[in-house]
Amino acid sequence: MPRDVFTPDGARAVTAVAPAKINLHLGVGDARPDGYHDLLTVYRAVDMWERVTVSFAGGAAGSGDDDEITVTGLGAPQVPTDRTNLAARAVDLLREEAGSDARIAIRIHKGVPVAGGMAGGSADAAAALVATDRLLGLGLGRAALEERAARLGSDVPFCVRGGTALGTGRGEKLATLLHARAEQHVVVALADGGLSTPTVFAELDRLRAERSVPRAGGVELLVEALAGDDPAAVAALLANDLEPAALFLRPALRKTLRTGQEAGALHGMVSGSGPTCLFFCSDRDHAIAVAAEISESGVAREVRVTRGPVGGAHIISDDPSGVTVPGVDPTGK
């Protein structure tokens, strides 16, 4: 992962990281008049990280020169580098609040699948908020950053917070599950291409209009299981209402899920809106063994082993010398 935090003129740069999310439970209500759906979800942050560096680029915003936005890493060509980029929108939000007209360079290094149902774009926005807050000297607290994050997207507040949390509303209203700290190991199977989240929600609406589709229900038993230290008990209670829609749009994912189950995973499921698939395991050695079988089967473009919960967005470097913050792993772990 790139570690330089220099701009061409040596100006100050701030780097932050934010984690991917998975949904241990994703209950989706019917479409609301505003087009959104009410969600009941249990988020968990896992150690796959987006890294965002912001720095002053010289000149003034709106002077005819756009901010510099560069993207490297996993799936970089698929990420927009205009003002639709969520990290750029986060910078715009705080720059306006600060009353600044400075041009800001934004450098994103992708570590989370693009359009993979793990909130990579939301993590970019969360990291950009934290870094830009420091760069512009706003001094916003965590709660204030989460409030701004909710203006950008439903998953962004959780990527700021991290850990394990209950999400309601559009997913932006959070309640941290402090007791849910037992480490969990998950195999992540990445598919070729992505799935558009709005498309998957629309497909779920269509399926529900045509026939009865099972719903995830409540989270009480899952929350209780998360307080313990039994991965199998947690795995038995995982649910995702978007999975039928994702499987309809990408039927090949059924083979991926079947392969992971046959490899011995405790549970396999589509991650969020997909097409990434998740396989929950009893410990790291179990996860490595499951990952090896999935990889050998050829049903996934790439297979990784990850763990959670991990913390939310945070600064890892704030010094033009490139020295990272003492005691902080530069990867964000």
Side-chain angles (χ1 to χ4, degrees):
M1 184 176 290
R3 297 198 178 193
D4 65 291
V5 293
F6 295 98
T7 59
D9 60 1
R12 176 188 179 194
V14 180
T15 301
V17 292
K21 65 85 185 172
I22 60 176
N23 301 87
L24 303 181
H25 177 105
L26 181 52
V28 180
D30 294 328
R32 306 186 321 200
D34 63 3
Y36 289 103
H37 297 70
D38 283 318
L39 303 182
L40 176 62
T41 186
V42 176
Y43 289 114
R44 171 153 285 181
V46 295
D47 68 340
M48 296 168 65
W49 300 87
E50 297 289 271
R51 181 178 176 126
V52 177
T53 299
V54 296
S55 58
F56 294 118
S63 62
D65 294 324
D66 291 333
D67 291 336
E68 301 169 9
I69 305 173
T70 57
V71 185
T72 59
L74 182 71
Q78 303 172 54
V79 179
T81 55
D82 58 19
R83 307 320 293 174
T84 64
N85 184 291
L86 271 180
R89 290 174 55 198
V91 169
D92 289 343
L93 180 66
L94 294 192
R95 179 166 49 196
E96 181 178 357
E97 184 167 341
S100 171
D101 65 355
R103 288 180 64 235
I104 294 177
I106 305 166
R107 281 177 288 162
I108 301 168
H109 184 77
K110 303 292 294 179
V112 179
V114 176
M118 299 185 75
S122 295
D124 289 338
L129 283 172
V130 171
T132 306
D133 173 57
R134 179 71 65 88
L135 183 72
L136 298 179
L138 285 168
L140 298 175
R142 185 69 52 164
L145 286 169
E146 289 183 15
E147 187 278 326
R148 276 98 176 141
R151 305 181 202 174
L152 298 169
S154 300
D155 292 334
V156 184
F158 177 72
C159 293
V160 172
R161 182 175 299 199
T164 305
L166 181 68
T168 55
R170 293 183 287 106
E172 84 284 8
K173 299 176 182 176
L174 301 175
T176 297
L177 300 177
L178 294 172
H179 61 280
R181 295 179 178 174
E183 190 169 70
Q184 187 171 45
H185 295 271
V186 184
V187 175
V188 179
L190 307 181
D192 286 320
L195 276 175
S196 159
T197 297
T199 299
V200 177
F201 272 94
E203 184 61 26
L204 177 62
D205 291 338
R206 187 191 68 80
L207 290 174
R208 285 176 170 176
E210 291 185 353
R211 59 180 182 267
S212 176
V213 179
R215 300 197 182 217
V219 297
E220 294 81 6
L221 292 177
L222 175 59
V223 170
E224 182 179 338
L226 287 169
D229 193 22
D230 183 354
V234 172
L237 296 166
L238 304 175
N240 178 10
D241 275 348
L242 290 178
E243 183 168 290
L247 293 177
F248 187 89
L249 293 168
R250 296 284 292 275
L253 297 179
R254 297 182 186 276
K255 184 176 182 180
T256 305
L257 292 175
R258 184 169 61 251
T259 299
Q261 297 282 38
E262 292 173 351
L266 299 175
H267 182 80
M269 66 191 297
V270 173
S271 177
S273 57
T276 301
C277 290
L278 307 174
F279 300 94
F280 295 80
C281 300
S282 56
D283 54 34
R284 179 170 173 78
D285 288 342
H286 182 206
I288 291 171
V290 169
E293 288 202 35
I294 295 173
S295 182
E296 289 173 5
S297 74
V299 296
R301 170 174 56 84
E302 183 181 344
V303 182
R304 302 188 194 180
V305 174
T306 189
R307 63 179 177 85
V310 296
H314 58 277
I315 301 292
I316 62 168
S317 179
D318 181 12
D319 191 312
S321 68
V323 178
T324 54
V325 176
V328 176
D329 188 316
T331 64
K333 296 180 182 177

